[in-house]
Amino acid sequence: MPKLGMEPIRRRQLIDATIAAIHENGFADATLQRISALAGVSTGIVHHYFQSKADLLEATMRQLASDVRAGTVDRLRHARTPRDRVAAVIDGNLATGVLSPQGVTAWLAFCSQVHCNPSFRRVQRILIDRMHSNLAHALAELMPRKEADAIAEGLSILIDGLWLRAALSDGHFTPDAARRIAHDWFDARLATAQMNKRHPLAVAARPKARTPA
């Protein structure tokens, strides 16, 4: 096997140090000096691999997104049914490694900058679109596409909320708990969708919700 070059190793080292610096000091105070100190290198080494702090921060956000994608893709390879594929997306996005205290804090910090940073916004949009696409594709084999899109959107929003709860819980909200909540929600929605499919006339006969005066 060819040996892995120094550049990807060093870049990952600096990205990991950036995540740690954001976790320890916050986004604004994650300076190159602190990042380089955590990585055990000089700031000159940082500039050798990244053009600027902004370049390093974007690479860090992309790496976080890539880690989520890699875990999800690996689980999707072993999925055999549409239900398995939905479970793979849930578990990939709420994996123990993904919901580590450092990773969640860093991701939340990046999300807080999305509105003013087009590069961060593009990365977040890609991740959201990919999650929705994976979910909707699997769900479309179980129900009409419109309903599949609605459940995919709801599940995506729920996963985002579970990420936020993990970020704010100081480690007390575990990945296992997050996955259990997401699976329970999905199982309930899937059961309702399947019941509606078997009894469409009963669904049509339900009274519409009354609008408050």
Side-chain angles (χ1 to χ4, degrees):
M1 290 179 63
K3 291 184 178 179
L4 188 63
M6 191 62 197
E7 181 171 352
I9 295 173
R10 185 67 81 189
R11 287 175 68 90
R12 184 65 201 234
Q13 180 185 9
L14 293 170
I15 286 171
D16 288 344
T18 303
I19 293 170
I22 292 172
H23 180 68
E24 293 177 11
N25 304 286
F27 189 86
D29 291 326
T31 63
L32 288 182
Q33 289 74 21
R34 284 178 168 144
I35 292 169
S36 59
L38 285 169
V41 301
S42 68
T43 54
I45 292 293
V46 180
H47 286 295
H48 177 74
Y49 291 101
F50 298 96
Q51 295 181 0
S52 62
K53 179 182 175 181
D55 185 32
L56 173 56
L57 290 172
E58 181 178 346
T60 300
M61 188 178 185
R62 288 185 179 278
Q63 185 62 57
L64 289 168
S66 179
D67 290 344
V68 173
R69 179 178 182 274
T72 302
V73 168
D74 184 61
R75 288 170 173 81
L76 285 169
R77 289 195 188 100
H78 299 91
R80 295 292 177 266
T81 67
R83 175 67 180 81
D84 290 343
R85 288 194 287 277
V86 173
V89 177
I90 291 173
D91 294 343
N93 280 272
L94 299 173
T96 299
V98 171
L99 287 187
S100 67
Q102 287 190 338
V104 171
T105 300
W107 190 262
L108 186 60
F110 281 116
C111 287
S112 71
Q113 304 296 312
V114 161
H115 70 287
C116 59
N117 188 310
S119 296
F120 292 178
R121 187 159 55 248
R122 281 194 296 272
V123 175
Q124 187 191 46
R125 187 71 260 166
I126 289 170
L127 196 62
I128 290 172
D129 289 347
R130 183 181 294 134
M131 188 196 310
H132 182 91
S133 176
N134 286 332
L135 289 170
H137 178 72
L139 289 166
E141 298 185 44
L142 301 171
M143 61 192 69
R145 183 68 196 212
K146 184 176 181 180
E147 192 168 5
D149 280 330
I151 293 180
E153 182 177 11
L155 191 50
S156 297
I157 293 170
L158 176 61
I159 288 172
D160 286 344
L162 293 169
W163 267 69
L164 180 59
R165 174 58 62 88
L168 300 176
S169 70
D170 196 26
H172 298 299
F173 183 62
T174 67
D176 284 342
R179 290 191 294 271
R180 185 168 59 252
I181 290 169
H183 280 290
D184 286 348
W185 184 91
F186 171 64
D187 287 340
R189 288 299 305 268
L190 180 59
T192 300
Q194 290 174 337
M195 182 184 69
N196 293 348
K197 186 176 181 180
R198 289 194 298 269
H199 305 288
L201 294 179
V203 175
R206 288 178 187 168
K208 294 182 180 181
R210 299 177 66 180
T211 304

